[in-house]
Amino acid sequence: MNPGKILLVEDNADDVALTIRALKSHNITNDVIVAQDGVQALDYLFGGPGLDEQPAVILLDLKLPKVNGMEVLQRIRSDERTRRLPVVILTSSDEERDVIDSYSLGANSYVRKPVDFVAFTEAAKQLGLYWLLLNRAPPMPRNL
């Protein structure tokens, strides 16, 4: 399994707990970094003198306080250091406009959060298995 970290950008504490529980229940033991709003996510990705280890995947909610998920995605895709990071939109929104805008801004996947607990844990399992085990991420850019 990819030893990289998962950046979970989610403001709902129940959804954070459920996501982490679902991942762990399927033996996906990667460290999960939680950002509770768009500003925290951007600070994690860009705030320091240079993040040595980018996350293996970003699970990004759209409806976030301070800076919304679309703005976070746009910032991720506009910077050479983070442009190739896998970003999975994980949201309760079923709005067609959100799906279109997410892919237009460069999301790798769009997953609607299931309401049912069992369905949610299965979705988390599939996300973890695909993005951390099957997917081969591009190498980080050097000297940026």
Side-chain angles (χ1 to χ4, degrees), residues 63-75:
K63 312 250 185 279
L64 297 168
K66 298 182 182 176
V67 176
N68 71 44
M70 292 293 183
E71 293 171 289
V72 172
L73 178 58
Q74 189 171 27
R75 176 73 171 93

Side-chain angles (χ1 to χ4, degrees), residues 57-126:
V57 64
I58 300 170
L59 304 179
L60 177 63
D61 190 18
L62 292 180
K63 312 250 185 279
L64 297 168
K66 298 182 182 176
V67 176
N68 71 44
M70 292 293 183
E71 293 171 289
V72 172
L73 178 58
Q74 189 171 27
R75 176 73 171 93
I76 289 168
R77 292 299 183 239
S78 69
D79 192 293
E80 186 62 34
R81 296 170 293 177
T82 56
R83 177 171 307 179
R84 293 181 208 87
L85 287 177
V87 177
V88 176
I89 303 301
L90 183 59
T91 185
S92 57
S93 174
D94 199 23
E95 296 293 322
E96 185 174 310
R97 177 86 272 159
D98 286 340
V99 176
I100 292 167
D101 290 347
S102 295
Y103 281 116
S104 294
L105 289 172
N108 297 92
S109 184
Y110 189 101
V111 177
R112 186 169 184 275
K113 292 180 203 170
V115 176
D116 174 76
F117 172 76
V118 174
F120 187 90
T121 59
E122 183 61 25
K125 170 188 168 188
Q126 295 302 324

Side-chain angles (χ1 to χ4, degrees), residues 41-62:
L42 294 173
D43 283 349
Y44 177 79
L45 292 168
F46 303 108
L51 188 62
D52 292 335
E53 180 188 356
Q54 294 286 8
V57 64
I58 300 170
L59 304 179
L60 177 63
D61 190 18
L62 292 180

